[in-house]
Amino acid sequence: AQKITQTQPGMFVQEKEAVTLDCTYDTSDPSYGLFWYKQPSSGEMIFLIYQGSYDQQNATEGRYSLNFQKARKSANLVISASQLGDSAMYFCAMREGPGGYQKVTFGTGTKLQVIP
Amino acid sequence: DAGVIQSPRHEVTEMGQEVTLRCKPISGHDYLFWYRQTMMRGLELLIYFNNNVPIDDSGMPEDRFSAKMPNASFSTLKIQPSEPRDSAVYFCASSPIAGVGQETQYFGPGTRLLVL
């Protein structure tokens, strides 16, 4: 079974609108961390946001927020007020186990295109 | 602060040649990771180090691949002999000491390898 599932290969959003990118995960470990990364066409991987499994509140970083639904094992990324520069691939990732174990599994990504 | 530095940024070589990719992690980070990204397989973890010691190399595809970390500020990934199927983008990433919320991996710009 896939540990990280991103079911949307591609998404379009109108500039200034909000968009949600889906991510579901599979783990039996009570301690885990969830990440989102952005990869623009230039190729670099840019860290966006982190959510720990024990965090009580959803993580937010500027226009990015993570909609963490633990019971449903989902960690959707919400981008508010989309900008043209948000057009990129977005990867959801999970680190399982306590903080000492660093292996991270990445999803297949969602390609977001922001339309003017 | 300087981010993760990788060299070369682009490499074109012929099948059978030795290829060496280099990485300088962020100063003070205890973990270093090597990833490979292809269209077919997505982002795969090849190997990671903790305090210069290889912890998990189960992702290394075969004996042609080797990685070393002789000190805290330098790592190499070597492919010998190279094959066309090794063509990919190779990322190096580093992470601070493990701790809640500190597991974020920061990626270098990647090395685009093309084996002819």
Side-chain angles (χ1 to χ4, degrees), chain A residues 37 39 43 95 99-100 102 104, chain B residues 31 37 56 91 98 103-105:
Chain A
Y37 286 84
Q39 187 176 40
R95 186 265 310 147
Q102 288 281 338
V104 174
Chain B
Y31 289 84
Q37 186 178 34
D56 187 342
F91 286 102
E103 305 92 342
T104 300
Q105 296 181 19

Side-chain angles (χ1 to χ4, degrees), chain A residues 25 28-34 50-58 68 70 95 97-99, chain B residues 100-101 103:
Chain A
Y25 59 92
S28 57
D29 201 308
S31 177
Y32 53 90
L34 297 156
Y50 167 83
Q51 179 87 41
S53 58
Y54 295 117
D55 293 344
Q56 295 296 312
Q57 295 187 327
N58 288 345
F68 182 45
K70 198 169 184 177
R95 186 265 310 147
Chain B
V100 176
E103 305 92 342

Side-chain angles (χ1 to χ4, degrees), chain A residues 44-101:
Chain A
E44 70 269 33
M45 294 285 285
I46 303 168
F47 165 72
L48 295 178
I49 197 166
Y50 167 83
Q51 179 87 41
S53 58
Y54 295 117
D55 293 344
Q56 295 296 312
Q57 295 187 327
N58 288 345
T60 60
E61 289 287 347
R63 294 186 298 109
Y64 304 109
S65 60
L66 200 152
N67 184 3
F68 182 45
Q69 298 188 41
K70 198 169 184 177
R72 296 180 61 186
K73 294 188 175 180
S74 74
N76 299 338
L77 177 70
V78 181
I79 305 174
S80 62
S82 297
Q83 301 172 356
L84 295 178
D86 294 334
S87 295
M89 283 289 288
Y90 289 81
F91 292 93
C92 179
M94 176 176 66
R95 186 265 310 147
E96 295 176 89
Y101 183 60

